[in-house]
Amino acid sequence: MRLNSLLSPLPGWGRAALALGATALLTGCDLNFWRMDGHQSTLVVDGPVARSQLGVFYVTCWVTFSIFLVVGGVLAYATWKFRARTASEEQAVPAEQGHGNPLIELGLIGASVLALVIIAIPTLRAIWYTADVPVADKANAYEVNATGLQWWFRFEYPAEQIPGSGPLLTSNELVIPAGRPVRINLRAADVIHSFWIPKLAGKVDMIPNRGNSLWLQADAPGYFWGQCAEYCGDSHAVMRFRVIALGPREFNDWVNRQLAPARTVAPADAGASPAPAAVVRTTWQRNEKGWTEQFERDPLAAWRAHQRPEQAESPALIAQGRALFQSKTCFTCHVVRGQMAGGSSAYPDLTHLGSRTTLAAGLLENNTEQLARWIAHPDQVKPGNKMYALGYLPNNIRLTAGDVAALTAYLQSLK
Ligand code: CUA
């Protein structure tokens, strides 16, 4: 009431301005909104390729904005200058109809050509720059193969070979060295996908039977959000991924950990660390969110925390989960290198699943609750996914809450 009576002398636009100002003040803490620096912002970028693309965007914006100012200005001037001042002027049809002014018309053609040339120069420069790693940096470039599948991304590291197994494979989280150009060969296994990390580079299609590539570089260590940017079926909108850029030593350590076979937790001695009661939630609303505030705040710290074994892990529960992974035939699709024979690269490699921050192609945070949710209801999290359609349904896989808890503990132990 009091606020209303205070504001009532203000005109409508004054109250609107006040409301806008108050909103700005109240959301002042959310700087990202005002800086337009969201996770997938192309306006605040973190690498030379995205910066060069942003440069083209700004040049185009300024040129078109200038055209808008000139055309709008001339229109406003003409509207004012030649307005009808009297009633008779309003009725009158100009006696003489002109065809136009040749000089102005030629001038406009010249100005348009100039505007296009101004846009074309940085555009062509950016096209050449972003096409491939600059020659001077070629020797320093790191190479990764990325494949789009319905609906996840497989990353292959040809430089990191595992004896008797082939190149190192990960999924949905691309770890790269920061400050170094990374050349990414883009392939698709089924339909067309598109590879896009807005803050680093974007966006290039992944096309079956065609070799595309892009290169990018992260200025500094960081955690970046990626997204499939080409409609590719039911779960296209939730086909996401992450890029984690690390300093040289940390990257090296990560590669060494990934090259190692799956971490095996020794079966519990009788009586030691008994399996806790199943605390995982197994019922979920459709489309329920799975992200936590904490993770959003410092994702790189969250990523680092994921590299270490869980503090409260239960060897007994893990052993139970490992047996279930076999008896429920999970291993026939998923590779857990060094523990189980079987599996194929057509499905995510789970050898080090616990070390990843996300699940289900970047959709859920990789924690006990969300992992249990994913295992219990993959069809609800990602409609149409193969784990459900080709695994659970035809094989009649039924999981109890206890099964889900054990499988969750086992998968989390795979650091
Ligand atoms: Cu893959 Cu859209």
Side-chain angles (χ1 to χ4, degrees), residues 266-307:
D269 310 320
S273 56
V279 287
V280 296
R281 220 173 120 192
T282 47
T283 49
W284 286 84
Q285 298 294 317
R286 218 163 255 277
N287 299 324
E288 200 167 314
K289 287 268 188 296
W291 291 98
T292 67
E293 282 284 307
Q294 211 173 7
F295 179 79
E296 296 270 316
R297 260 178 222 137
D298 191 351
L300 195 56
W303 183 85
R304 289 188 176 118
H306 271 279
Q307 307 310 303

